[in-house]
Each structure stands twice: as structure tokens, then as C-alpha cells.
Amino acid sequence: NMTDHYRWQRYLDWIQRRGVIKFNGQGFTVDEGKGPDYRDWADAYWWQNTRQPYYNALTAGDVELFDALYREYAAMIPTLECRVRAEFGHGGAIWPETAEAWGCYRPGDWGCDTPPAGPSTNTFIRFHYTGSLELCLMLLDDFAFRANATVWSAFGDAVCSRVVTFFDEHFPQNDAGGAMDMFPAQALETWQCADPSARDACVTNPSTDIAGLMAVLPRLLALPDALANASHSCCGRTPSH
């Protein structure tokens, strides 16, 4: 019945808590003729899938599952900061929608024809930044749930400050109304940007990222100063409406 399946799923999540829960097979794979280690969607972590068991864990109160997730995604920060600086010439960090364990793209996700300085030629994830806002929101939800200042100071401020810095420096222009002009951009994998130089072939001000910023910025500003060292300094601009 449903209750038994729910308990089994929690058990499967718990026995994998020392690493990030892998969405495509978790810790177990079956040889279906392609080798015992084969996984559909390959070896990368796809954030839109990786996040799902963790939101369930928060609801269930299984907060200890988050430790490995936070450690791995925070460990990506040095690589991501270097990549953002090389690719876009500014500060902050953004977590790719699909990432290897240390934050790099898989070759196919980066795009085999992409120049070294980018941006990626893979239009499905080229400007897909929403997952980084979701990671920040997850950390804020975690802090609201268990009020663990140690976890927030170790991971939350490090992640959120870099995400907000990225958006602030990546979209430095304001529109006529004084709000952030988010271009070039995209909305998840669905609404893509065929040509980053042309507004009629690209997304401007995606509702996904606007919603993400409007979800995280007020909560970052509401944190006690002692718990939000860098996040507070980046929150003075207004996302587009």
C-alpha cells in the first residue's frame, strides 16, 4: 500500500545519505544490456531531478539527508566562480542545471562546438539559472525548519551570496522602469534562447527567475545580520515584474 511504499522510499533515501541521492537509479543499477553501471541521462546531477527527494525529506523531517547535498554543492563553488569569471567576466557563481561532482558540465551538455569562453551552445540549459535560486530557497527553507545557524553559516550564506551576486552583476542594466533587465535569458528548458544577441530570438525577464528572486531576496534581507554576511550587500535592486 501507499504507506509501505513511502516507508521503503524513506529507507532507500536514508541508506544513501553519505552521498547525494542520484535520481536515475539512486544507489542501485540493473544491467539491461548496456552494462551494470549504465544510467539513463548519464552520470551528471540534474538539479531539477536531484531536488525532488530532498523537498520530500524536509517535509518528513529527515533533515540529516541534506548534509551530503550541501557539502557537495558548496564544494563546487571555487570551480563555479572561476567558470563564471572566465565565461562572463564578473563575480558570483551559478550551478549548471546538469553538473558533474565538482561543478563542471558534461561535454555534451556544454556543447562540443562551444568556444572555450562560452556561453554554452546547448540551448536547453545555456541560460538555465533557476536551479541556483531553488538551491538557495531550499537552504532558506531548511533554516526556517530547524533554525540551525551552523548549517546556514557553513552553506546557506556561501551559496546564496554567490547566486545573488551573479544575478546582480550578470544583469547590470535596468529597464525604463528602473527594474533589472534580464537578457539574454531563458525559462527552464522550455523557452530557450536561439540567439543571445537578438531580443526577438531570446527570452527577456523570464518569470521563473523573477519568481525565484522575489522568493529569496526578502527572506535573505529578513535574516539576522550575523547570519547573512554577504547576502545583504547584494539585495538592493528590483527584479522585473
Side-chain angles (χ1 to χ4, degrees), residues 25-119:
Q26 295 193 321
F28 307 96
T29 55
V30 177
D31 190 347
E32 296 181 341
K34 298 180 180 180
D37 295 323
Y38 176 83
R39 297 173 185 265
D40 285 341
W41 295 282
D43 56 325
Y45 291 95
W46 297 55
W47 174 255
Q48 61 192 12
N49 299 315
T50 299
R51 64 185 177 171
Q52 293 173 358
Y54 291 98
Y55 272 116
N56 295 335
L58 189 63
T59 303
D62 297 336
V63 292
E64 293 86 352
L65 293 177
F66 286 88
D67 295 341
L69 176 74
Y70 295 160
R71 284 197 304 270
E72 181 156 319
Y73 272 72
M76 298 179 186
I77 288 175
T79 298
L80 299 178
E81 287 184 311
C82 289
R83 185 180 65 80
V84 166
R85 181 68 64 182
E87 186 175 347
F88 300 117
H90 60 70
I94 210 78
W95 280 255
E97 171 58 28
T98 65
E100 300 283 14
W102 298 107
C104 294
Y105 285 94
R106 290 175 58 248
D109 292 343
W110 174 246
C112 296
D113 297 324
T114 300

Side-chain angles (χ1 to χ4, degrees), residues 73-236:
Y73 272 72
M76 298 179 186
I77 288 175
T79 298
L80 299 178
E81 287 184 311
C82 289
R83 185 180 65 80
V84 166
R85 181 68 64 182
E87 186 175 347
F88 300 117
H90 60 70
I94 210 78
W95 280 255
E97 171 58 28
T98 65
E100 300 283 14
W102 298 107
C104 294
Y105 285 94
R106 290 175 58 248
D109 292 343
W110 174 246
C112 296
D113 297 324
T114 300
S120 169
T121 54
N122 183 336
T123 57
F124 286 93
I125 60 174
R126 171 161 46 187
F127 300 132
H128 190 340
Y129 304 143
T130 311
S132 297
L133 292 165
E134 291 176 337
L135 177 60
C136 178
L137 184 63
M138 181 180 289
L139 284 152
L140 286 164
D141 286 343
D142 184 324
F143 180 72
F145 182 85
R146 54 175 164 168
N148 189 320
T150 300
V151 171
W152 175 262
S153 297
F155 303 113
D157 191 62
V159 169
C160 292
S161 64
R162 286 166 173 83
V163 173
V164 175
T165 297
F166 174 87
F167 275 89
D168 187 54
E169 297 187 12
H170 192 67
F171 300 112
Q173 303 298 320
N174 288 343
D175 62 19
M180 181 184 290
D181 183 30
M182 300 171 70
F183 172 84
Q186 71 182 76
L188 304 180
E189 293 185 24
T190 308
W191 294 97
Q192 302 175 8
C193 179
D195 183 358
S197 66
R199 286 188 182 261
D200 61 354
C202 195
V203 174
T204 300
N205 297 328
S207 60
T208 48
D209 292 353
I210 293 171
L213 288 168
M214 296 185 75
V216 304
L217 294 182
R219 293 176 64 177
L220 288 172
L221 290 170
L223 289 170
D225 288 338
L227 297 180
N229 298 321
S231 302
H232 278 187
S233 64
C234 305
C235 298

